Amino acid sequence: MKGIVLAGGSGTRLHPITQAISKQLLPVYDKPMIYYPLSVLMLAGIREVLVISTPTDLPNFRRLLGDGSQFGLELSYAEQAAPNGLAEAFVIGADFVGDDDVALILGDNIFYGQGFSRTLQEQVSTLDGCVLFGYPVKDPQRYGVGEMDADGRLVSIEEKPERPRSNRAITGLYLYDNQVVEIAKGLTPSKRGELEITDVNMAYLRQDRARLVELSRGFAWLDTGTHDSLLEAAQFVQVLEHRTGVRIACLEEIALRMGFITADECYQLGAKLAKSGYGDYVMDVAMAAGASG
């Protein structure tokens, strides 16, 4: 499976901050926002990733992440000239996806929960069609909402319904088989001229090939699209890291744990950041894993 991080858009809800920098490059406590969705793909075992952003912002992502080889990844980059809908990612990334299955994650979504890596890898290995991830929210009118029957089968998807049939918001993480490319290419743009991800999901639902995995109690899904939610996400990460001593979405540590890089390679990455607490943490992790230092 390959992965796509959609990090485009103009971030208008975060103006004036995002008038000068991409939303997905803003800090969420101790690391850039894009580290969080990228870490999810890595936890799923995905090593080939396409980052899609605006022509203006792509050079900054390249400067931050390079070709990904330092994390044991293969990163590619592509432009989305205008915010033409989430599903356009599969049209833009068609050549990148090739004949493979693909995961799409939005660049401003943060996921955290025990056992998440195991859940992701299980869903990737058993994928047949489309897998969505649902999260209970108090205001489902703001989201795409999935409805399940008594047997746990996904029976309907509604986009921002006035009267939601459930409180399960569909998060910004999606797993698809290779058919998604042809589905996306065949979509009719909405009235706003966008290729809607809900239309993709509905195509799978009509085939009875869409599943909704519920993210259980104790799990956290955060959207960082507003000033308040960005601050809340940073405070959430700060509290967890201070309480547990573990850094969330530390790409160097995840690359080491997943076997993408060696302990010595991890140590060298930390040494380059040695004047920060983040760098010290990476070196400590590498030493604990047997790095020679």
Side-chain angles (χ1 to χ4, degrees):
M1 177 175 280
K2 293 178 180 174
I4 296 176
V5 179
L6 187 55
S10 53
T12 53
R13 292 187 298 164
L14 284 169
H15 280 178
I17 305 171
T18 48
Q19 288 179 305
I21 188 172
S22 168
K23 172 174 65 175
Q24 291 83 9
L25 289 171
L26 294 175
V28 178
Y29 186 48
D30 57 352
K31 60 192 74 71
M33 188 185 297
I34 197 172
Y35 272 41
Y36 295 87
L38 189 54
S39 73
V40 171
L41 298 181
M42 293 171 68
L43 289 170
I46 296 170
R47 301 180 70 169
E48 294 180 66
V49 178
L50 176 68
V51 177
I52 297 177
S53 189
T54 67
T56 301
D57 293 319
L58 272 180
N60 292 326
F61 286 105
R62 290 180 186 272
R63 191 175 301 114
L64 174 67
L65 300 170
D67 64 2
S69 58
Q70 69 274 30
F71 303 122
L73 306 177
E74 295 180 29
L75 294 184
S76 305
Y77 299 88
E79 295 181 359
Q80 186 182 38
N84 295 324
L86 306 187
E88 191 185 33
F90 303 113
V91 179
I92 294 170
D95 290 341
F96 166 79
V97 175
D99 296 326
D100 292 305
D101 298 338
V102 61
L104 172 67
I105 187 166
L106 306 187
D108 61 356
N109 276 217
I110 295 175
F111 295 82
Y112 177 78
Q114 295 300 316
F116 191 38
S117 180
R118 182 174 62 254
T119 298
L120 290 171
Q121 292 174 37
E122 288 174 355
Q123 296 303 324
V124 167
S125 64
T126 60
L127 179 66
D128 179 20
C130 158
V131 172
L132 310 173
F133 294 85
Y135 188 79
V137 295
K138 64 180 181 180
D139 49 355
Q141 298 89 348
R142 295 179 51 224
Y143 303 93
V145 175
E147 178 192 9
M148 301 171 74
D149 63 16
D151 297 323
R153 188 171 63 92
L154 182 63
V155 295
S156 76
I157 301 171
E158 295 180 286
E159 185 65 27
K160 298 181 180 178
E162 290 184 10
R163 297 181 179 179
R165 298 179 183 178
S166 84
N167 69 337
R168 298 182 187 90
I170 295 174
T171 70
L173 172 62
Y174 316 85
L175 308 181
Y176 298 103
D177 67 12
N178 191 256
Q179 187 187 9
V180 72
V181 175
E182 292 307 313
I183 290 175
K185 288 181 177 180
L187 291 180
T188 300
S190 68
K191 293 179 180 179
R192 297 181 297 176
E194 299 181 358
L195 300 182
E196 302 286 356
I197 199 71
T198 297
D199 293 339
V200 172
N201 298 335
M202 287 299 300
Y204 279 100
L205 184 61
R206 286 191 291 269
Q207 298 176 19
D208 198 25
R209 298 178 66 234
R211 297 179 54 238
L212 184 67
V213 175
E214 291 194 86
L215 300 177
S216 61
R217 180 179 297 179
F219 200 93
W221 169 56
L222 305 172
D223 177 352
T224 55
T226 67
H227 297 106
D228 285 342
S229 60
L230 180 62
L231 177 60
E232 289 166 1
Q235 291 171 330
F236 173 82
V237 172
Q238 180 193 38
V239 169
L240 273 177
E241 292 189 353
H242 283 192
R243 290 283 181 89
T244 66
V246 176
R247 301 244 174 186
I248 299 171
C250 175
L251 300 187
E252 296 85 354
E253 180 178 17
I254 293 171
L256 175 62
R257 303 297 187 207
M258 296 296 294
F260 298 169
I261 61 174
T262 67
D264 284 341
E265 289 170 332
C266 184
Y267 185 89
Q268 291 304 315
L269 292 175
K272 293 179 181 179
L273 305 171
K275 292 186 178 181
S276 71
Y278 185 94
D280 292 339
Y281 175 82
V282 172
M283 287 189 290
D284 288 344
V285 166
M287 291 297 290
S292 56

